[in-house]
Amino acid sequence: MEKNPLSFQLKLNPDDFLPATDEEKEGLVVMRDSVSFWKDGFRRLRKNKVAMVCLFIIIIVMIFAFIVPAFYPYSYEQQIQGANNLAPMQYSAKEMEQIAAGEKVFPHFFGTDKMGRDYAIRVMMGSRISLLVGIIAAAIILVIGSIFGSIAAFAGGWVDLIMMRIVDIIYTIPDVLLIVLLSFALKAPLKVLAQAPGFGWISVVGENLISIFIVFALLYWVGMARMVRSQILMLKESEYVTAARALGASSARIIKKHLLTNCIGTLIVTTTLQIPSSIFTESFLSFLGLGVAVPMPSLGSLASDAINGLNTYPYLLFIPAAVISLIILSFNLLGDGLRDAFDPKLKN
């Protein structure tokens, strides 16, 4: 006996044709909630344990560099009588007498230097100088490099050709030689300017450090400019750029609102990786005596001062060297984590 092909209709129920309920609709939804670019990037960053540990280390270093010195009982230029070349956690004879008399004496965690200055506060202040140099230099490089590279790529043609040849010329200029020349050229004008009201900070940081910032502004942005140019060249042919042009948006608005905004992740990663490079440059130049003015310390100048007493007081060199290595390594690994989190090509 053949089966009736329409027999299934005999089992139909009018309730089967009612609209689906909200619960039934939600049961069919398989898509996850949409997230923004930043939320997705930070979610991916939090999964990177190495990057999060490095971020924690950077925060701790910044606390010791910028907050702890405000409550520390010693200052970086204070010389303690009879406390020359003390080992870590060691007290001078006078301080021992004060302790015996019941007075409270704050310990020298990292000992003291040859002039009797507490070494811990000098390492903290040196870390502050190095971090400030790295952050400010990275900001300068970001602003100049992104503007220069975006204009060259968006304009194209002979404008791009001329601007990129300027970049090639700047690449050939030796940075250390330029810093030395600027230090000698700016020494007299800066001394005169330091006497003016509101410019006393010049004599504190010294003309060498100012020369370093000038060199960063003159030379070190070329890598950022090339990176931005390559990004803009890929983005400027997109449909939304064509639509913005059709709506009459100016070139400056297109660059600012559309092009640079869409490569902000790459800019953040490149800027983060530029910070350790700037810190290393400053530490290297300070080690050669081209850094901050005495008695203001930096990690490089602390290491340089400790070279002569390496055999007798090795900790005076190892401590700032370890801090430099820790800061540079943390920023590098954090930059790698940011690149993995915000690079769309690496998403899975």
Side-chain angles (χ1 to χ4, degrees):
M1 181 178 179
E2 295 183 1
K3 187 176 181 180
N4 184 1
L6 301 179
S7 60
F8 73 94
Q9 296 180 355
L10 301 177
K11 301 179 181 180
L12 295 178
N13 192 322
D15 295 337
D16 295 335
F17 296 92
L18 294 176
T21 62
D22 294 337
E23 291 78 8
E24 292 172 337
K25 293 179 180 178
E26 291 178 359
L28 297 176
V29 175
V30 295
M31 296 178 60
R32 69 177 185 180
D33 296 335
S34 60
V35 294
S36 65
F37 171 78
W38 296 107
K39 187 175 180 180
D40 182 57
F42 285 116
R43 175 183 60 82
R44 292 162 59 86
L45 179 64
R46 286 194 295 268
K47 293 182 179 180
N48 191 326
K49 295 182 180 179
V50 174
M52 294 307 296
V53 170
C54 292
L55 178 60
F56 177 76
I57 293 174
I58 292 172
I59 293 174
I60 294 298
V61 172
M62 287 188 172
I63 290 174
F64 277 95
F66 293 96
I67 298 178
V68 174
F71 306 97
Y72 204 74
Y74 305 111
S75 61
Y76 70 90
E77 76 276 8
Q78 178 183 357
Q79 299 181 21
I80 305 171
Q81 184 178 6
N84 307 74
N85 293 323
L86 295 179
M89 302 302 295
Q90 186 179 1
Y91 297 95
S92 65
K94 184 177 180 180
E95 290 172 336
M96 292 296 293
E97 294 176 358
Q98 293 175 335
I99 295 174
E103 299 181 18
K104 186 177 181 180
V105 178
F106 201 80
H108 305 288
F109 292 105
F110 294 162
T112 60
D113 61 8
K114 61 183 179 181
M115 301 185 68
R117 297 172 296 193
D118 185 85
Y119 206 61
I121 186 62
R122 290 186 63 80
V123 171
M124 294 180 198
M125 294 300 297
S127 302
R128 176 188 296 186
I129 294 297
S130 298
L131 287 171
L132 284 176
V133 169
I135 294 172
I136 295 174
I140 294 173
I141 293 169
L142 171 64
V143 172
I144 299 177
S146 59
I147 293 175
F148 192 94
S150 59
I151 293 175
F154 189 78
W158 62 270
V159 176
D160 181 33
L161 181 64
I162 294 176
M163 295 180 73
M164 286 300 101
R165 296 298 76 76
I166 293 175
V167 168
D168 294 336
I169 294 173
I170 292 176
Y171 258 120
T172 64
I173 300 176
D175 51 356
V176 177
L177 177 60
L178 186 58
I179 290 174
V180 174
L181 294 177
L182 284 175
S183 298
F184 282 102
L186 297 176
K187 191 170 185 179
L190 289 177
K191 282 185 178 181
V192 176
L193 185 60
Q195 306 300 323
F199 291 92
W201 56 270
I202 294 179
S203 59
V204 177
V205 299
E207 62 275 0
N208 289 334
L209 189 58
I210 297 176
S211 301
I212 292 176
F213 282 122
I214 294 176
V215 170
F216 281 140
L218 292 176
L219 304 182
Y220 278 63
W221 52 267
V222 290
M224 175 72 73
R226 284 187 166 179
M227 186 277 301
V228 172
R229 176 179 175 270
S230 65
Q231 293 289 316
I232 300 298
L233 285 175
M234 293 187 295
L235 294 174
K236 74 174 186 177
E237 303 299 334
S238 303
E239 290 81 0
Y240 59 85
V241 176
T242 305
R245 283 174 171 169
L247 292 173
S250 63
S251 298
R253 180 175 178 82
I254 294 174
I255 292 174
K256 178 181 178 182
K257 296 293 184 180
H258 300 286
L259 296 177
L260 288 179
T261 302
N262 280 277
C263 61
I264 189 67
T266 306
L267 291 176
I268 291 176
V269 172
T270 307
T271 303
T272 304
L273 293 174
Q274 186 62 53
I275 293 176
S277 176
S278 302
I279 292 175
F280 178 80
T281 301
E282 183 277 330
S283 301
F284 164 70
L285 294 173
S286 295
F287 184 83
L288 298 179
L290 299 175
V292 294
V294 177
M296 178 69 70
S298 74
L299 295 177
S301 62
L302 291 176
S304 178
D305 294 339
I307 285 293
N308 294 330
L310 177 61
N311 295 330
T312 310
Y313 313 106
Y315 55 89
L316 295 180
L317 175 62
F318 293 156
I319 292 174
V323 175
I324 293 173
S325 301
L326 182 64
I327 293 175
I328 292 178
L329 179 62
S330 298
F331 271 109
N332 279 328
L333 294 179
L334 177 61
D336 289 339
L338 289 173
R339 181 191 58 200
D340 296 340
F342 288 102
D343 191 346
K345 298 178 182 178
L346 299 177
K347 292 186 178 181
N348 45 33

